[in-house]
Amino acid sequence: MPSDTPSRPLPAIVLVITACGVLAGMDALGKHLLQHLPAAQVVWARYTFHTVLVSLLFGLRHHHAFLRPTHPWLQLLRGLCLLGVTLGIYLALRRVPLGDATAILFLAPVLVTLLAGRWLGEPIRTLHWLALGLGLAGVLAVIRPGFRAFDPALLLPLGSALLLAVYFVLTRWLHGRDRTLTTLFHTTVAGSLVLSLTAPLYWVPPQPGEWPLLAAMGLLGASGHLMLIRAFHLHQASALSPWLNAQVLAAALYGLWLFGEPLGLPFLLVASLIVAAGLLSHRASRPS
């Protein structure tokens, strides 16, 4: 990232928290659709409608300029990372609660800080490590290891967490090298092409009322990722990563509201720990 890019932490944090709520809503909608449709088809809708919406909204204004990336292979790698994240989560959601799957996925902020320090040269301070430790403790409060039988499906969001960390670091690295709209478009275009080509292998005809929901997933996904891309352009990835855990809280609330998945004491614990982690991270990123 260019060294003269100004950092704007507060707008970036607001964007991250808002995006987490939007993307958690998208995942809740996906969990609902998984009751009738294959996971690959739900992900196809999320990616394809995202790609079509971005093309229609920005294509006329910017013509085709935003389609051409400066670093096509990195954009491809970033898009395939997100495809792996989404497939892993949606396959897991058939068997595990929405909040639990999201909690495991958001071990990614721990990895983001480590990768950002190594690959992007961002400073990692003691308070960052403390913030990440609190965030990890909050995630473990949701998972509750050792207190219930292990479900192999939990390995899917665990693998997704690693891919998500790479995705966020690549998003930060591409700032100043590709336009925001270019990065937004290439977020889903690779996954959409892959899933469209393989659609005959898994396609189930959606019911008429499911088409608007499938399209809504693309709208929510595009909105959420546009916010995240903008946020990671405004502030350091290592400083923003603990705030990504807000999606764990949003997912737990959606799980309670839509699917009757209980919250209880672990949820209250994770909420307090994640808020504390975000505040510590914000303090660590302020100029000394």
Side-chain angles (χ1 to χ4, degrees), residues 99-113:
D100 287 9
T102 307
I104 298 171
L105 175 66
F106 277 84
L107 290 172
V110 179
L111 302 174
V112 167
T113 297

Side-chain angles (χ1 to χ4, degrees), residues 157-174:
L158 191 60
S160 294
L162 176 59
L163 293 175
L164 185 63
V166 176
Y167 166 84
F168 281 129
V169 171
L170 287 174
T171 298
R172 178 66 173 172
W173 190 89
L174 284 164

Side-chain angles (χ1 to χ4, degrees), residues 2-288:
S3 58
D4 60 349
T5 302
S7 181
R8 299 174 59 194
L10 185 57
I13 291 169
V14 172
L15 283 170
V16 167
I17 293 173
T18 305
C20 286
V22 170
L23 293 174
M26 179 192 69
D27 289 338
L29 186 55
K31 184 177 177 69
H32 169 72
L33 290 166
L34 286 170
Q35 297 173 14
H36 175 245
L37 299 174
Q41 188 169 341
V42 174
V43 177
W44 168 86
R46 181 258 178 276
Y47 278 59
T48 301
F49 283 109
H50 174 130
T51 304
V52 170
L53 285 169
V54 170
S55 300
L56 292 176
L57 287 174
F58 302 111
L60 293 177
R61 180 185 301 179
H62 301 275
H63 301 291
H64 302 295
F66 75 96
L67 301 178
R68 298 190 294 270
T70 306
H71 299 274
W73 292 108
L74 285 180
Q75 290 285 9
L76 176 63
L77 176 60
R78 178 177 169 276
L80 291 177
C81 283
L82 187 63
L83 175 60
V85 171
T86 313
L87 283 173
I89 286 296
Y90 283 19
L91 287 170
L93 286 179
R94 290 187 174 275
R95 296 181 53 178
V96 300
L98 177 62
D100 287 9
T102 307
I104 298 171
L105 175 66
F106 277 84
L107 290 172
V110 179
L111 302 174
V112 167
T113 297
L114 297 176
L115 294 177
R118 183 174 180 83
W119 291 354
L120 303 178
E122 295 184 357
I124 309 299
R125 301 183 175 91
T126 302
L127 283 179
H128 278 132
W129 289 109
L130 180 57
L132 291 169
L134 287 174
L136 178 60
V139 169
L140 291 175
V142 173
I143 301 173
R144 303 188 295 281
F147 292 93
R148 56 183 177 189
F150 176 73
D151 188 341
L154 295 176
L155 294 175
L156 291 168
L158 191 60
S160 294
L162 176 59
L163 293 175
L164 185 63
V166 176
Y167 166 84
F168 281 129
V169 171
L170 287 174
T171 298
R172 178 66 173 172
W173 190 89
L174 284 164
H175 171 48
R177 297 171 172 90
D178 268 331
R179 299 171 64 186
T180 298
L181 292 181
T182 302
T183 299
L184 178 64
F185 175 76
H186 286 276
T187 295
T188 55
V189 66
S192 177
L193 289 173
V194 170
L195 292 170
S196 295
L197 290 173
T198 57
L201 300 177
Y202 56 77
W203 191 263
V204 173
Q207 299 173 3
E210 290 175 332
W211 278 111
L213 301 181
L214 292 168
M217 289 194 65
L219 176 61
L220 293 173
S223 302
H225 281 277
L226 179 59
M227 295 178 204
L228 287 178
I229 290 167
R230 181 59 179 159
F232 275 76
H233 287 183
L234 291 174
H235 199 39
Q236 295 178 350
S238 55
L240 290 177
S241 59
W243 293 97
L244 295 169
N245 285 309
Q247 191 164 340
V248 178
L249 308 181
L253 290 173
Y254 279 119
L256 173 66
W257 176 36
L258 298 175
F259 307 108
E261 298 169 354
L263 300 181
L265 182 60
F267 171 76
L268 299 177
L269 179 59
V270 72
S272 60
L273 288 172
I274 288 173
V275 169
L279 293 175
L280 272 177
S281 178
H282 178 60
R283 181 179 177 83
S285 302
R286 293 170 59 185
S288 55

